[in-house]
Amino acid sequence: MVAGPGKRRLEIELIEDRARRHTTFTKRRQGLIKKTKVFANKFDAQAAVIAFSGAGNLFAFGSPSVESVVRRYLDTASGGGGAEEEEERPQTPEERIGAALEKGSWDAVVEGLGPLEIDELSTEIMKLRRVVAARVSEMEARD
Amino acid sequence: MVAGPGKRRLEIELIEDRARRHTTFTKRRQGLIKKTKVFANKFDAQAAVIAFSGAGNLFAFGSPSVESVVRRYLDTASGGGGAEEEEERPQTPEERIGAALEKGSWDAVVEGLGPLEIDELSTEIMKLRRVVAARVSEMEARD
DNA sequence: AGGCCTATATATAAGGT
DNA sequence: TACCTTATATATAGGCC
């Protein structure tokens, strides 16, 4: 099927799939922001969510404002965290993987990592696998 | 009838009992973080939550890291606190890969690849998985 | 596109162990 | 304290306009 109705049909499918994905993304983004809003209200706490879509668009909400929460985070994060409550720790950037892809040495990358970072890396691997799998089936669908 | 998710109706908005308030705070904080985690995974997006308890303790989670998301936010936002519009956009060649890695979006990376490159990537992922698995069992052996 | 509507799935407040 | 259970509240995926 080089051209004609078949190709057209596939393109429509892709577009609709993308639209569906976008709809879901929007709903969940709204849900996430609502949760944050309620959370901040209920406990009179400062809270903020920041999200970037795959396309790079920014969505954020903060109480009293994203700016203030971010600022406070930057002030606090360096000094030291919570006293009696445990804190979710920051995670390792996935750029490691990109760099490693170019170098070709996984061993060197994994060697220095701690438990949390390993966990993070595992998560990223699973994400990458899903994305690759999706891409593969997408290409197979074209044949 | 306004009832809470629990077994009984919530009589008062502000929870007076300190211990119970703390319990609820913890649960909701975990829920919020989980939501953010799932959101980031499901859509291969960058996302972060930051929260300060009334006592001033910091709780935060970010994918791939709070730092990276905050940094990107500061780079992107001109100062807004609200949400903006989302529009999925088809993008171009492979020079995009570098930028995509910085954005932390695997989707964007895989998007431009051909069959051979996908295959190579799959192989690399498998290798990485093995290396990570080895590292994990290595660490578990120490306990 | 932007709202409703409705099964299902999750989240979660109390209470129990 | 920390986990488990249970009853109810919310959130959400898809339909259907």
Side-chain angles (χ1 to χ4, degrees):
Chain A
M1 278 166 245
V2 182
K7 180 180 178 184
R8 190 162 126 95
R9 195 187 112 257
L10 277 179
E11 281 184 311
I12 291 174
E13 265 187 330
L14 282 179
I15 290 172
E16 289 190 350
D17 189 62
R18 171 177 279 178
R20 207 158 51 88
R21 180 186 171 87
H22 174 257
T23 300
T24 302
F25 177 88
T26 300
K27 281 184 176 179
R28 279 189 177 248
R29 166 166 57 78
Q30 290 170 340
L32 193 55
I33 286 177
K34 183 179 179 181
K35 275 265 186 230
T36 306
K37 202 176 296 185
V38 172
F39 179 85
N41 272 321
K42 192 177 183 77
F43 300 105
D44 189 36
Q46 279 188 298
V49 241
I50 301 171
F52 290 94
S53 68
N57 291 312
L58 164 67
F59 304 94
F61 167 79
S63 174
S65 75
V66 181
E67 288 284 336
S68 62
V69 176
V70 164
R71 220 164 9 238
R72 189 174 174 191
Y73 170 80
L74 293 175
D75 286 342
T76 308
S78 52
E84 53 179 331
E85 315 211 28
E86 50 181 319
E87 174 181 349
E88 290 279 335
R89 312 232 219 130
Q91 317 223 351
T92 309
E94 67 190 306
E95 282 110 6
R96 283 181 193 279
I97 298 180
L101 267 176
E102 293 171 351
K103 298 180 68 173
S105 169
W106 294 123
D107 277 315
V109 177
V110 176
E111 191 64 28
L113 304 183
L116 275 174
E117 294 165 309
I118 284 285
D119 192 52
E120 222 289 310
L121 185 55
S122 296
T123 301
E124 290 303 322
I125 293 171
M126 296 317 261
K127 281 164 68 177
L128 219 202
R129 283 189 72 203
R130 283 200 299 279
V131 170
V132 168
R135 174 70 175 153
V136 166
S137 60
E138 185 184 315
M139 297 177 88
E140 286 174 343
R142 285 185 201 280
D143 295 333
Chain B
M1 237 183 250
V2 184
K7 280 192 169 182
R8 291 181 187 175
R9 171 196 168 96
L10 255 186
E11 298 292 339
I12 344 173
E13 267 310 313
L14 197 68
I15 302 170
E16 42 349 310
D17 185 0
R18 196 179 165 193
R20 236 184 305 174
R21 180 184 170 87
H22 174 258
T23 301
T24 302
F25 176 87
T26 300
K27 281 185 177 180
R28 281 193 177 245
R29 166 168 56 78
Q30 290 170 339
L32 193 55
I33 286 174
K34 182 180 179 181
K35 277 262 186 236
T36 306
K37 203 175 293 186
V38 171
F39 179 85
N41 272 315
K42 191 177 183 77
F43 300 106
D44 187 38
Q46 274 188 297
V49 240
I50 300 171
F52 289 94
S53 67
N57 291 315
L58 165 66
F59 304 95
F61 166 79
S63 174
S65 76
V66 180
E67 290 281 340
S68 63
V69 176
V70 165
R71 225 178 296 126
R72 191 176 173 192
Y73 171 79
L74 293 175
D75 286 342
T76 307
S78 311
E84 304 173 14
E85 277 302 313
E86 153 86 356
E87 182 57 41
E88 296 292 345
R89 299 222 52 219
Q91 311 238 346
T92 30
E94 63 213 297
E95 60 185 358
R96 199 153 51 92
I97 293 181
L101 279 171
E102 290 175 353
K103 285 168 56 177
S105 167
W106 293 124
D107 266 326
V109 176
V110 176
E111 189 76 17
L113 304 184
L116 274 176
E117 294 165 308
I118 285 285
D119 194 51
E120 277 181 20
L121 185 55
S122 296
T123 302
E124 289 305 319
I125 292 172
M126 290 318 196
K127 281 162 66 178
L128 217 204
R129 285 190 72 203
R130 282 197 295 277
V131 171
V132 168
R135 174 72 173 153
V136 166
S137 58
E138 183 184 315
M139 299 178 87
E140 284 174 344
R142 287 180 189 161
D143 293 333

Coordinates of all heavy atoms in Angstrom, one line a residue, chain B residues 65-134:
Chain B
S65 N 13.7 14.4 37.9 CA 14.2 14.8 39.3 C 13.5 16.2 39.5 O 13.1 16.9 38.6 CB 15.7 15.0 39.3 OG 16.1 16.1 38.6
V66 N 13.3 16.5 40.8 CA 12.7 17.8 41.1 C 13.6 18.9 40.6 O 13.1 19.9 40.0 CB 12.6 18.0 42.7 CG1 12.0 19.3 43.0 CG2 11.8 16.8 43.3
E67 N 14.9 18.8 40.8 CA 15.8 19.8 40.3 C 15.6 20.1 38.8 O 15.5 21.3 38.4 CB 17.3 19.3 40.6 CG 17.7 19.2 42.0 CD 18.0 20.6 42.5 OE1 18.3 21.5 41.7 OE2 18.0 20.8 43.8
S68 N 15.6 19.1 38.0 CA 15.6 19.3 36.6 C 14.3 20.0 36.2 O 14.3 20.9 35.3 CB 15.8 18.0 35.8 OG 14.7 17.1 36.1
V69 N 13.2 19.5 36.8 CA 11.9 20.1 36.4 C 11.8 21.6 36.9 O 11.4 22.5 36.1 CB 10.7 19.3 37.1 CG1 9.4 20.0 36.8 CG2 10.7 17.9 36.6
V70 N 12.3 21.9 38.1 CA 12.3 23.2 38.6 C 13.2 24.1 37.7 O 12.8 25.2 37.3 CB 12.9 23.3 40.0 CG1 13.2 24.7 40.4 CG2 11.8 22.7 41.0
R71 N 14.3 23.6 37.3 CA 15.3 24.3 36.5 C 14.6 24.7 35.1 O 14.6 25.8 34.7 CB 16.5 23.5 36.2 CG 17.8 24.3 36.4 CD 19.0 23.4 36.1 NE 19.2 22.4 37.1 CZ 19.3 21.1 36.9 NH1 19.3 20.7 35.6 NH2 19.4 20.2 37.8
R72 N 14.0 23.7 34.6 CA 13.3 23.9 33.3 C 12.1 24.9 33.4 O 11.9 25.7 32.6 CB 12.8 22.6 32.8 CG 12.3 22.7 31.3 CD 11.9 21.3 30.8 NE 11.2 21.5 29.5 CZ 10.6 20.5 28.9 NH1 10.5 19.3 29.5 NH2 10.0 20.7 27.7
Y73 N 11.5 24.8 34.6 CA 10.4 25.7 34.8 C 10.9 27.2 34.8 O 10.3 28.1 34.2 CB 9.7 25.4 36.2 CG 8.7 26.5 36.6 CD1 7.5 26.5 36.0 CD2 9.1 27.5 37.5 CE1 6.6 27.5 36.4 CE2 8.2 28.5 37.8 CZ 6.9 28.5 37.3 OH 6.1 29.5 37.6
L74 N 12.0 27.3 35.5 CA 12.5 28.7 35.7 C 13.0 29.2 34.3 O 12.9 30.4 34.0 CB 13.7 28.7 36.6 CG 13.3 28.4 38.1 CD1 14.5 28.3 39.0 CD2 12.4 29.5 38.6
D75 N 13.5 28.3 33.5 CA 13.9 28.7 32.1 C 12.7 29.0 31.2 O 12.8 29.9 30.4 CB 14.7 27.5 31.5 CG 16.1 27.4 32.1 OD1 16.5 28.4 32.7 OD2 16.7 26.3 31.9
T76 N 11.7 28.3 31.4 CA 10.5 28.4 30.5 C 9.5 29.5 30.9 O 9.1 30.3 30.1 CB 9.7 27.1 30.5 OG1 10.6 26.0 30.1 CG2 8.6 27.2 29.4
A77 N 9.2 29.5 32.2 CA 8.1 30.4 32.7 C 8.6 31.9 32.7 O 9.7 32.2 33.2 CB 7.6 30.0 34.1
S78 N 7.8 32.7 32.3 CA 8.1 34.1 32.3 C 7.6 34.7 33.7 O 7.9 35.8 34.0 CB 7.4 34.9 31.2 OG 7.7 34.2 30.0
G79 N 6.9 33.9 34.4 CA 6.4 34.3 35.7 C 5.0 33.9 35.9 O 4.4 34.2 37.0
G80 N 4.4 33.2 35.0 CA 3.0 32.8 35.2 C 2.8 31.7 36.3 O 3.7 31.0 36.6
G81 N 1.6 31.6 36.8 CA 1.4 30.6 37.8 C 0.3 29.6 37.4 O 0.0 28.7 38.0
G82 N -0.3 29.9 36.3 CA -1.4 29.1 35.8 C -1.0 28.2 34.7 O 0.1 28.0 34.4
A83 N -2.0 27.5 34.2 CA -1.8 26.5 33.1 C -1.9 27.2 31.8 O -2.5 28.3 31.6 CB -2.8 25.4 33.2
E84 N -1.2 26.6 30.8 CA -1.2 27.2 29.5 C -1.8 26.1 28.5 O -2.2 25.0 28.9 CB 0.2 27.6 29.1 CG 0.7 28.6 30.1 CD 2.2 28.9 29.8 OE1 2.7 28.6 28.7 OE2 2.8 29.4 30.7
E85 N -1.8 26.5 27.3 CA -2.4 25.6 26.3 C -1.5 24.5 25.9 O -0.3 24.7 25.7 CB -2.9 26.4 25.1 CG -4.2 27.0 25.3 CD -5.3 26.0 25.6 OE1 -5.4 25.0 24.9 OE2 -6.0 26.2 26.6
E86 N -2.1 23.4 25.6 CA -1.3 22.2 25.1 C -1.6 21.9 23.7 O -2.8 21.9 23.3 CB -1.7 21.0 26.0 CG -1.5 19.7 25.3 CD -0.1 19.1 25.4 OE1 0.7 19.8 26.0 OE2 0.1 18.0 25.0
E87 N -0.6 21.7 22.9 CA -0.8 21.3 21.5 C 0.3 20.4 21.1 O 1.4 20.7 21.0 CB -0.8 22.6 20.6 CG -1.0 22.3 19.2 CD -2.4 21.6 18.9 OE1 -3.4 22.0 19.6 OE2 -2.4 20.7 18.1
E88 N -0.2 19.2 20.7 CA 0.8 18.2 20.2 C 1.3 18.6 18.9 O 0.5 19.0 18.0 CB 0.2 16.8 20.2 CG -0.2 16.3 21.5 CD 1.0 16.0 22.4 OE1 2.1 15.9 21.9 OE2 0.8 15.8 23.6
R89 N 2.6 18.6 18.7 CA 3.2 19.0 17.4 C 4.1 18.0 16.8 O 4.9 17.5 17.5 CB 3.9 20.3 17.6 CG 3.1 21.5 18.2 CD 3.5 22.7 17.4 NE 3.4 22.5 16.0 CZ 4.3 23.0 15.2 NH1 5.3 23.7 15.6 NH2 4.2 22.8 13.9
P90 N 3.9 17.8 15.5 CA 4.9 16.9 14.8 C 6.2 17.6 14.8 O 6.2 18.8 14.5 CB 4.3 16.7 13.5 CG 3.3 17.8 13.3 CD 2.9 18.2 14.7
Q91 N 7.3 17.0 15.0 CA 8.6 17.6 15.0 C 9.5 17.1 13.9 O 9.1 16.2 13.2 CB 9.2 17.5 16.4 CG 8.3 17.9 17.5 CD 8.8 19.0 18.3 OE1 10.0 19.3 18.3 NE2 7.9 19.6 19.1
T92 N 10.7 17.6 13.8 CA 11.5 17.3 12.7 C 12.7 16.3 12.9 O 12.4 15.2 13.5 CB 12.1 18.6 12.1 OG1 12.2 19.5 13.1 CG2 11.2 19.1 11.0
P93 N 13.9 16.5 12.4 CA 14.9 15.5 12.3 C 15.5 15.0 13.6 O 15.0 15.1 14.6 CB 16.0 16.2 11.4 CG 15.7 17.6 11.5 CD 14.3 17.8 11.9
E94 N 16.7 14.4 13.5 CA 17.3 13.7 14.6 C 18.2 14.6 15.4 O 18.6 14.3 16.5 CB 18.1 12.6 14.0 CG 19.3 13.0 13.1 CD 19.6 12.0 12.1 OE1 19.9 10.9 12.4 OE2 19.4 12.3 10.9
E95 N 18.5 15.8 14.9 CA 19.3 16.7 15.7 C 18.5 17.1 17.0 O 19.0 17.7 17.9 CB 19.6 18.0 14.9 CG 18.3 18.7 14.4 CD 18.6 19.9 13.5 OE1 19.8 20.1 13.3 OE2 17.7 20.5 13.1
R96 N 17.2 16.7 16.9 CA 16.3 16.9 18.0 C 16.6 16.0 19.2 O 16.2 16.2 20.3 CB 14.9 16.6 17.5 CG 13.8 17.2 18.2 CD 12.6 17.4 17.3 NE 12.3 16.2 16.6 CZ 11.5 15.3 17.0 NH1 10.9 15.4 18.1 NH2 11.2 14.2 16.2
I97 N 17.3 14.9 18.9 CA 17.5 13.9 19.9 C 18.3 14.5 21.1 O 17.9 14.2 22.3 CB 18.3 12.7 19.3 CG1 17.5 12.0 18.3 CG2 18.8 11.8 20.4 CD1 18.1 10.8 17.7
G98 N 19.3 15.3 20.8 CA 20.0 15.9 21.9 C 19.1 16.7 22.8 O 19.1 16.6 24.0
A99 N 18.3 17.6 22.2 CA 17.4 18.4 23.0 C 16.4 17.6 23.7 O 16.0 17.9 24.8 CB 16.7 19.4 22.0
A100 N 15.9 16.5 23.0 CA 14.9 15.7 23.6 C 15.5 15.0 24.9 O 14.7 14.9 25.9 CB 14.5 14.6 22.6
L101 N 16.7 14.6 24.9 CA 17.3 14.0 26.0 C 17.3 15.0 27.2 O 17.1 14.6 28.4 CB 18.7 13.5 25.7 CG 18.8 12.2 25.0 CD1 20.2 11.9 24.5 CD2 18.3 11.1 25.9
E102 N 17.6 16.2 26.9 CA 17.6 17.2 28.0 C 16.2 17.4 28.5 O 16.0 17.7 29.7 CB 18.2 18.5 27.4 CG 19.7 18.4 27.2 CD 20.2 19.7 26.6 OE1 19.4 20.6 26.2 OE2 21.4 19.8 26.4
K103 N 15.2 17.3 27.7 CA 13.9 17.5 28.1 C 13.4 16.3 28.9 O 12.4 16.3 29.6 CB 12.9 17.6 26.9 CG 13.0 19.0 26.3 CD 12.4 19.1 24.9 CE 10.9 18.6 25.0 NZ 10.2 18.7 23.7
G104 N 14.1 15.2 28.7 CA 13.7 14.0 29.5 C 12.5 13.2 28.8 O 11.8 12.5 29.5
S105 N 12.3 13.4 27.6 CA 11.2 12.7 26.9 C 11.7 11.7 26.0 O 12.3 11.9 24.9 CB 10.4 13.8 26.1 OG 9.5 13.1 25.3
W106 N 11.5 10.4 26.3 CA 11.9 9.3 25.5 C 11.1 9.3 24.2 O 11.6 8.9 23.1 CB 11.7 8.0 26.2 CG 12.6 7.8 27.3 CD1 12.3 7.5 28.6 CD2 14.0 7.9 27.3 NE1 13.4 7.4 29.4 CE2 14.5 7.7 28.6 CE3 15.0 8.1 26.3 CZ2 15.8 7.7 28.9 CZ3 16.3 8.1 26.6 CH2 16.7 7.9 27.9
D107 N 9.8 9.7 24.3 CA 9.0 9.8 23.1 C 9.6 10.5 22.0 O 9.7 10.1 20.9 CB 7.6 10.5 23.5 CG 6.6 9.4 23.8 OD1 6.6 8.4 23.2 OD2 5.7 9.7 24.7
A108 N 10.1 11.7 22.4 CA 10.8 12.6 21.4 C 12.0 12.0 20.8 O 12.3 12.2 19.6 CB 11.1 13.9 22.1
V109 N 12.7 11.2 21.6 CA 13.9 10.5 21.1 C 13.6 9.5 20.1 O 14.2 9.4 19.0 CB 14.7 9.9 22.3 CG1 15.9 9.1 21.8 CG2 15.1 11.0 23.3
V110 N 12.6 8.6 20.4 CA 12.3 7.5 19.6 C 11.6 7.9 18.3 O 11.7 7.2 17.3 CB 11.5 6.5 20.4 CG1 11.0 5.3 19.5 CG2 12.3 6.0 21.6
E111 N 10.9 9.0 18.4 CA 10.1 9.4 17.3 C 10.8 9.4 16.0 O 10.3 9.0 15.0 CB 9.6 10.9 17.6 CG 8.6 11.4 16.6 CD 7.2 10.8 16.9 OE1 7.0 10.2 18.0 OE2 6.4 10.8 16.0
G112 N 12.0 9.9 15.9 CA 12.7 10.1 14.6 C 13.5 8.9 14.1 O 14.1 9.0 13.1
L113 N 13.5 7.8 14.9 CA 14.4 6.7 14.5 C 13.8 5.8 13.5 O 12.6 5.6 13.4 CB 14.7 5.9 15.8 CG 15.4 6.7 16.9 CD1 15.7 5.8 18.1 CD2 16.6 7.5 16.4
G114 N 14.7 5.2 12.7 CA 14.2 4.2 11.7 C 14.4 2.8 12.3 O 14.8 2.6 13.4
P115 N 14.0 1.8 11.5 CA 13.9 0.4 11.9 C 15.3 -0.1 12.5 O 15.3 -0.7 13.5 CB 13.6 -0.3 10.6 CG 12.8 0.7 9.8 CD 13.4 2.0 10.1
L116 N 16.3 0.2 11.7 CA 17.7 -0.2 12.2 C 18.0 0.4 13.5 O 18.6 -0.3 14.4 CB 18.7 0.1 11.1 CG 18.9 -1.0 10.0 CD1 19.9 -0.5 9.0 CD2 19.3 -2.3 10.6
E117 N 17.8 1.7 13.6 CA 18.1 2.4 14.9 C 17.3 1.9 16.0 O 17.8 1.7 17.1 CB 18.0 3.9 14.7 CG 18.9 4.4 13.6 CD 18.5 5.8 13.2 OE1 17.3 6.0 12.8 OE2 19.3 6.7 13.2
I118 N 16.0 1.6 15.7 CA 15.2 1.0 16.8 C 15.7 -0.3 17.3 O 15.7 -0.6 18.5 CB 13.7 0.9 16.2 CG1 13.0 2.2 16.1 CG2 12.9 -0.1 17.1 CD1 12.6 2.8 17.4
D119 N 16.1 -1.1 16.3 CA 16.7 -2.4 16.7 C 17.9 -2.3 17.5 O 18.0 -3.0 18.5 CB 17.0 -3.2 15.4 CG 17.2 -4.6 15.6 OD1 16.3 -5.2 16.3 OD2 18.2 -5.2 15.2
E120 N 18.8 -1.4 17.2 CA 20.0 -1.1 17.9 C 19.6 -0.7 19.4 O 20.2 -1.2 20.3 CB 20.8 -0.1 17.3 CG 21.7 -0.6 16.2 CD 22.6 0.6 15.6 OE1 22.7 1.6 16.3 OE2 23.0 0.4 14.5
L121 N 18.7 0.2 19.4 CA 18.3 0.7 20.7 C 17.7 -0.4 21.6 O 18.0 -0.4 22.8 CB 17.2 1.8 20.5 CG 16.7 2.6 21.7 CD1 17.9 3.2 22.5 CD2 15.8 3.7 21.3
S122 N 16.9 -1.3 21.0 CA 16.3 -2.4 21.7 C 17.4 -3.2 22.3 O 17.4 -3.6 23.5 CB 15.5 -3.2 20.8 OG 14.3 -2.5 20.4
T123 N 18.4 -3.5 21.5 CA 19.6 -4.3 22.0 C 20.3 -3.6 23.1 O 20.6 -4.3 24.2 CB 20.6 -4.5 20.8 OG1 19.9 -5.1 19.7 CG2 21.7 -5.4 21.3
E124 N 20.4 -2.3 23.0 CA 21.1 -1.6 24.1 C 20.3 -1.6 25.4 O 20.8 -1.7 26.5 CB 21.4 -0.1 23.7 CG 22.4 0.0 22.6 CD 23.7 -0.6 23.0 OE1 24.1 -0.5 24.2 OE2 24.4 -1.3 22.2
I125 N 19.0 -1.5 25.2 CA 18.1 -1.5 26.4 C 18.3 -2.8 27.1 O 18.4 -2.9 28.4 CB 16.6 -1.3 26.0 CG1 16.5 0.1 25.5 CG2 15.7 -1.5 27.2 CD1 15.1 0.3 24.8
M126 N 18.3 -3.9 26.4 CA 18.5 -5.3 27.0 C 19.8 -5.4 27.7 O 19.8 -5.9 28.8 CB 18.4 -6.3 25.9 CG 17.0 -6.5 25.4 SD 15.7 -6.4 26.7 CE 14.3 -7.1 25.9
K127 N 20.8 -4.8 27.1 CA 22.1 -4.8 27.8 C 22.1 -4.1 29.1 O 22.6 -4.5 30.1 CB 23.2 -4.3 26.8 CG 23.6 -5.2 25.8 CD 24.3 -4.5 24.6 CE 25.6 -3.9 25.0 NZ 26.3 -3.3 23.8
L128 N 21.5 -2.9 29.0 CA 21.4 -2.0 30.2 C 20.6 -2.8 31.3 O 21.0 -2.7 32.5 CB 20.6 -0.7 29.8 CG 21.1 0.5 30.5 CD1 20.0 1.6 30.5 CD2 21.6 0.3 31.9
R129 N 19.5 -3.4 30.9 CA 18.7 -4.1 31.9 C 19.6 -5.2 32.6 O 19.5 -5.4 33.8 CB 17.5 -4.8 31.2 CG 16.4 -3.9 30.8 CD 15.2 -4.6 30.4 NE 14.6 -5.3 31.5 CZ 13.8 -6.3 31.4 NH1 13.6 -6.9 30.2 NH2 13.2 -6.9 32.4
R130 N 20.4 -5.9 31.8 CA 21.2 -6.9 32.4 C 22.2 -6.3 33.4 O 22.4 -6.8 34.5 CB 21.9 -7.7 31.4 CG 21.0 -8.8 30.7 CD 21.9 -9.8 29.9 NE 22.6 -9.2 28.8 CZ 22.1 -9.0 27.6 NH1 20.9 -9.3 27.4 NH2 22.9 -8.5 26.7
V131 N 22.8 -5.2 33.0 CA 23.8 -4.6 33.9 C 23.1 -4.1 35.2 O 23.7 -4.3 36.2 CB 24.4 -3.4 33.1 CG1 25.3 -2.6 34.1 CG2 25.3 -3.9 32.0
V132 N 22.0 -3.5 35.0 CA 21.2 -3.0 36.2 C 20.8 -4.1 37.1 O 21.0 -4.1 38.3 CB 20.0 -2.2 35.8 CG1 19.1 -1.9 37.0 CG2 20.4 -0.9 35.1
A133 N 20.3 -5.2 36.5 CA 19.9 -6.4 37.3 C 21.1 -6.9 38.1 O 21.0 -7.3 39.2 CB 19.3 -7.4 36.4
A134 N 22.3 -7.0 37.4 CA 23.5 -7.5 38.1 C 23.8 -6.6 39.3 O 24.1 -7.1 40.3 CB 24.6 -7.5 37.1

